Amino acid sequence: MYGIEKRLLMRQLLEHGLSKTVVARRLGISRRTLYNWIDEGELERDPEDRELQYGPRPPRPSILDPYKARIDARLAECPGLSVVRLLEEVRAAGYPGSYGSVKRYVRAVRPTLRGIAEGSKD
C-alpha cells in the first residue's frame, strides 16, 4: 500500500508534465500501478481522506460446491462415514475433484466424536 506522500508526489510530477514512465521509474513502482491509480481516481483523492481499507476477499467457488449438500446429508445420517466412502458417492454423482478437497471439507463440517459422545449422554 502506498501512502499519501507517494500519491501526492505522483500527482505533482504528472502535473509538471513528466511522462508516466518517468514518474513510475522515479517512485519505484510499475507503470501498471500508476495507470490503475489514475483510472480509479486515486490521485484525485483528498489527502485528508482515510486510508484505503481492504476487507476479506469474497469466497471463491469450489468444484465441490454442488456436492456439499449431499455430503452434509450423508454425514447427518452417519457421522462416522469415511471420507473414502463419501468420495466414492460424490464421484458416482459426477464429482471430478480430488480426495484432498473432500477430506478438507469433511474435516471442517464433521461433528467431532467428542461432541457426538457428549450429545448422547444428555
Side-chain angles (χ1 to χ4, degrees):
M1 174 87 164
Y2 301 109
I4 294 171
E5 298 85 19
K6 194 167 266 196
R7 244 190 353 248
L8 290 174
L9 188 54
M10 282 181 207
R11 187 178 358 176
Q12 262 183 344
L13 292 173
L14 288 170
E15 287 173 356
H16 280 83
L18 292 174
S19 73
K20 294 176 183 113
T21 303
V22 172
V23 171
R25 232 181 255 144
R26 279 197 185 172
L27 296 175
I29 61 171
S30 73
R31 284 183 302 149
R32 188 71 254 158
T33 299
L34 184 60
Y35 283 110
N36 285 340
W37 278 47
I38 291 169
D39 291 344
E40 294 171 6
E42 288 297 317
L43 298 181
E44 283 76 40
R45 271 187 5 166
D46 185 19
E48 301 302 318
D49 286 351
R50 64 177 177 83
E51 287 292 318
L52 287 176
Q53 301 238 337
Y54 295 103
R57 292 183 178 185
R60 293 176 53 192
S62 162
I63 59 172
L64 188 59
D65 285 346
Y67 307 96
K68 286 180 178 178
R70 181 184 302 259
I71 293 171
D72 292 340
R74 291 292 288 143
L75 286 174
E77 292 173 17
C78 183
L81 201 57
S82 74
V83 176
V84 174
R85 180 66 185 146
L86 287 168
L87 178 64
E88 290 172 1
E89 291 179 15
V90 293
R91 281 218 172 126
Y95 172 66
S98 68
Y99 167 81
S101 298
V102 176
K103 178 178 150 187
R104 283 187 296 276
Y105 178 70
V106 170
R107 185 176 289 159
V109 299
R110 182 192 306 257
T112 62
L113 294 177
R114 174 181 285 159
I116 294 169
E118 289 172 1
S120 62
K121 290 181 183 177
D122 288 337

